[in-house]
Amino acid sequence: MVRKPTKSNVKADAKAVSTRKPNMREAILAAAEELFSTYGFNAVSVRDIAQAAGANPGSVTYHFKTKDGLLLEIYRRHCGPMNRRRSELLAAARRVRDLQDRLEAIVRAYVLPAFTSGSDLAGGGTRFTRLRAIMSAEGNEVVRKIIAQTFDDTSHAFIDAIHESLPHIPRTDLVWRGHFLLGALYYTLVTPERVSRLSRGSADGTDAGHAIEELVRATVAALQAPPLDPAISALRKAPGFAPGRALT
Amino acid sequence: MVRKPTKSNVKADAKAVSTRKPNMREAILAAAEELFSTYGFNAVSVRDIAQAAGANPGSVTYHFKTKDGLLLEIYRRHCGPMNRRRSELLAAARRVRDLQDRLEAIVRAYVLPAFTSGSDLAGGGTRFTRLRAIMSAEGNEVVRKIIAQTFDDTSHAFIDAIHESLPHIPRTDLVWRGHFLLGALYYTLVTPERVSRLSRGSADGTDAGHAIEELVRATVAALQAPPLDPAISALRKAPGFAPGRALT
DNA sequence: ACCATATTTGTACTATCGTCCAAATATTCA
DNA sequence: TGAATATTTGGACGATAGTACAAATATGGT
């Protein structure tokens, strides 16, 4: 990337010839993202990442100090833009008049950024969501903190918006269904043979598009389902059991 | 377990005093199951397992040859009973007269064994399902084969049964929704704070029960949702894209 | 061109990984 | 009991892990 003149943000010159090697730091981040989201955090070594990025293992340590630091930086890169996009789409969805359409728009506002958000890289959104899926399965400790402090607000906003569209359904049920949505979303992105060409899909996202439409359709129907028998629900009012951290 | 007299299946004597150390092999299997399902395959070392089982690392090699072999044996232990239970419940569900009730019974037949199947150990079902969830995220190669040859038949049977209850919905959509069900199921079991006391739930499974009821209710509604616009669906008829391995 | 700084390189350190193996011990059956 | 077998033990092997660090090189401002 030829080292920017200290203070101006010229980014246009880079990436002119596909992937040349504009910035080692970026190359490492991209390689780590790809490898982590494919094989998991523990299965990938710093040396694997360095090799994939065409860098020296020491360079990784130089830029990110530790392997955890590298993972942290990946999350920092994506969480902000992704949640910003979600907020924008959610705000737009809230303005939809028709109740049914509004609910669908809300769900879409949650799902879409998981497929398309993030950087300019193709498939950046799906790759990061795949990474989140794997990390949630591996129960990584470093990630848990970021998740809590980054996604909690957004998640509550979505639950609230859904609850406004479906006031007759107890919030507990909606939280569960939102939880299921995230699980379905994660699994869809993690199962490679099903969405293998997702990241290589054409710009209009027709390939990913179908998966999204199926997911939105199914989720809207699930959200609208009649709540469980209140007699049973009441039994479960025990504190601490109801999901408190849904959609994260 | 005091080494059986060569050919008789006396299992009653063992496990008399809680967990004494009836059989090292079983202890290793249990420890590995617990650790793998909590931290993932790659994050757990053979030494971790040996220590948790109160065994020597060499013992693990002796009984299972390799770490992969240990994982394989865990799957062998659970897949059979779990699929058998599913088949039984599915057969019973098929006999339900009312269409709505039947669909619900079918979904329940798929979900229930994931929580309760397997060995005599408490929470054996959830632990194994959690393991499957993590392995699917990590993309483990050893597991992919077992999954394909063990769950494919059962999965097709479920899709068929659902399709019979909802003949007006294209099979493709049902496959997607079954896929979402599995994702939701996995994520529910993998997120510990939400189902933390699942395995410690009372014998009637009230704690797990609520999660199951929420999942079944949401899934039935999702399955019944009107299919996507056929015009869009038709575009996606391209071979190889529609999920071919759902519910596995 | 020169200096200060930023980055990359190569290597080395320690820790831990999966696996192996010979010796020690426990168990079973004649 | 004694011989045969099954299991457990403790230590070792080479490979690879994450990280550290000094030397080498590239870069940017003057």
Side-chain angles (χ1 to χ4, degrees), chain B residues 119-204:
Chain B
S119 65
D120 41 337
L121 295 165
T126 63
R127 208 171 39 221
F128 178 59
T129 307
R130 226 167 55 213
L131 175 60
R132 288 179 58 205
I134 292 195
M135 299 316 285
S136 89
E138 286 188 340
N140 186 284
E141 193 52 46
V142 184
V143 159
R144 237 194 289 271
K145 297 170 189 170
I146 318 181
I147 289 300
Q149 72 189 49
T150 313
F151 285 94
D152 268 2
D153 294 343
T154 311
S155 300
H156 279 117
F158 271 93
I159 298 285
D160 289 343
I162 292 170
H163 196 34
E164 279 177 30
S165 294
L166 298 166
H168 59 290
I169 304 203
R171 209 186 149 86
T172 306
D173 296 78
L174 295 180
V175 169
W176 273 104
R177 291 162 192 182
H179 181 69
F180 298 150
L181 161 60
L182 188 56
L185 170 60
Y186 277 172
Y187 189 59
T188 295
L189 285 174
V190 134
T191 313
E193 69 270 20
R194 192 163 291 105
V195 273
S196 61
R197 289 196 309 278
L198 248 178
S199 50
R200 283 186 286 296
S202 48
D204 59 2

Side-chain angles (χ1 to χ4, degrees), chain A residues 10-237:
Chain A
V10 273
K11 269 202 159 155
D13 54 352
K15 282 284 177 56
V17 197
S18 179
T19 322
R20 215 158 34 107
K21 196 207 273 191
N23 188 334
M24 201 74 265
R25 187 185 149 92
E26 297 298 325
I28 292 171
L29 275 171
E33 214 178 287
E34 176 63 27
L35 290 175
F36 284 158
S37 68
T38 306
Y39 304 103
F41 183 74
N42 297 310
V44 174
S45 72
V46 173
R47 287 170 174 83
D48 291 337
I49 297 166
Q51 180 169 20
N56 189 289
S59 250
V60 178
T61 307
Y62 171 73
H63 284 289
F64 307 99
K65 202 61 189 171
T66 69
K67 196 184 173 188
D68 283 349
L70 174 53
L71 180 65
L72 214 77
E73 181 58 26
I74 293 175
Y75 269 77
R76 262 200 282 269
R77 280 292 171 101
H78 285 284
C79 286
M82 186 161 164
N83 274 331
R84 211 170 306 128
R85 183 100 186 93
R86 273 185 173 158
S87 294
E88 292 168 7
L89 292 177
L90 179 59
R94 279 178 179 280
R95 288 191 292 272
V96 172
R97 273 310 215 302
D98 181 82
L99 275 181
Q100 169 82 16
D101 289 349
R102 188 197 300 171
L103 180 60
E104 187 173 319
I106 292 171
V107 173
R108 213 181 295 274
Y110 184 79
V111 170
L112 267 177
F115 284 82
T116 62
S117 97
S119 65
D120 40 339
L121 296 164
T126 62
R127 207 170 41 219
F128 177 60
T129 307
R130 226 167 55 214
L131 174 60
R132 286 180 60 206
I134 292 193
M135 299 316 286
S136 88
E138 287 188 342
N140 187 283
E141 192 52 44
V142 184
V143 159
R144 238 193 288 270
K145 298 170 189 170
I146 319 180
I147 289 300
Q149 71 188 53
T150 314
F151 284 94
D152 267 3
D153 293 343
T154 312
S155 300
H156 279 117
F158 270 92
I159 298 285
D160 289 343
I162 292 171
H163 196 34
E164 279 177 31
S165 294
L166 298 167
H168 59 289
I169 304 203
R171 210 187 148 87
T172 306
D173 296 80
L174 296 180
V175 169
W176 273 105
R177 291 163 191 181
H179 182 69
F180 298 150
L181 161 60
L182 188 55
L185 170 59
Y186 278 173
Y187 190 59
T188 296
L189 286 174
V190 134
T191 314
E193 68 273 19
R194 193 162 290 106
V195 273
S196 60
R197 288 196 309 278
L198 249 177
S199 50
R200 285 186 285 295
S202 48
D204 58 3
T206 47
D207 271 341
H210 187 244
I212 293 175
E213 291 312 312
E214 291 279 5
L215 184 55
V216 169
R217 174 63 55 95
T219 299
V220 168
L223 287 169
Q224 291 173 321
L228 290 186
D229 183 350
I232 300 177
S233 280
L235 280 177
R236 300 286 111 234
K237 276 284 167 57

Side-chain angles (χ1 to χ4, degrees), chain B residues 5-247:
Chain B
T6 309
K7 259 178 175 45
S8 68
N9 270 341
V10 272
K11 268 199 160 157
D13 56 352
K15 283 281 178 55
V17 196
S18 178
T19 321
R20 213 162 32 111
K21 196 208 270 183
N23 190 332
M24 201 76 263
R25 188 186 148 95
E26 297 298 325
I28 293 172
L29 276 171
E33 217 178 283
E34 177 62 29
L35 290 174
F36 284 159
S37 68
T38 306
Y39 303 104
F41 183 74
N42 297 310
V44 174
S45 73
V46 173
R47 286 171 174 83
D48 291 336
I49 297 166
Q51 180 169 18
N56 189 286
S59 249
V60 178
T61 308
Y62 171 73
H63 285 290
F64 307 100
K65 203 59 189 173
T66 68
K67 194 184 175 188
D68 283 349
L70 174 53
L71 180 65
L72 214 78
E73 181 57 26
I74 292 175
Y75 268 77
R76 262 201 283 267
R77 279 291 172 102
H78 285 284
C79 287
M82 185 162 167
N83 274 331
R84 211 171 306 127
R85 183 100 186 93
R86 273 186 174 158
S87 293
E88 292 168 7
L89 292 177
L90 179 60
R94 278 178 180 279
R95 288 192 292 271
V96 173
R97 274 311 216 301
D98 181 81
L99 275 180
Q100 169 82 17
D101 289 349
R102 187 197 301 171
L103 180 60
E104 188 175 317
I106 293 171
V107 172
R108 212 180 295 275
Y110 185 79
V111 170
L112 267 178
F115 285 81
T116 63
S117 99
S119 65
D120 41 337
L121 295 165
T126 63
R127 208 171 39 221
F128 178 59
T129 307
R130 226 167 55 213
L131 175 60
R132 288 179 58 205
I134 292 195
M135 299 316 285
S136 89
E138 286 188 340
N140 186 284
E141 193 52 46
V142 184
V143 159
R144 237 194 289 271
K145 297 170 189 170
I146 318 181
I147 289 300
Q149 72 189 49
T150 313
F151 285 94
D152 268 2
D153 294 343
T154 311
S155 300
H156 279 117
F158 271 93
I159 298 285
D160 289 343
I162 292 170
H163 196 34
E164 279 177 30
S165 294
L166 298 166
H168 59 290
I169 304 203
R171 209 186 149 86
T172 306
D173 296 78
L174 295 180
V175 169
W176 273 104
R177 291 162 192 182
H179 181 69
F180 298 150
L181 161 60
L182 188 56
L185 170 60
Y186 277 172
Y187 189 59
T188 295
L189 285 174
V190 134
T191 313
E193 69 270 20
R194 192 163 291 105
V195 273
S196 61
R197 289 196 309 278
L198 248 178
S199 50
R200 283 186 286 296
S202 48
D204 59 2
T206 48
D207 271 341
H210 188 244
I212 293 175
E213 291 313 310
E214 290 281 4
L215 183 56
V216 169
R217 174 65 54 96
T219 301
V220 167
L223 285 169
Q224 291 173 320
L228 291 184
D229 183 350
I232 299 175
S233 280
L235 281 177
R236 299 286 110 234
K237 276 283 168 58
F241 180 77
R245 254 192 35 194
L247 291 174

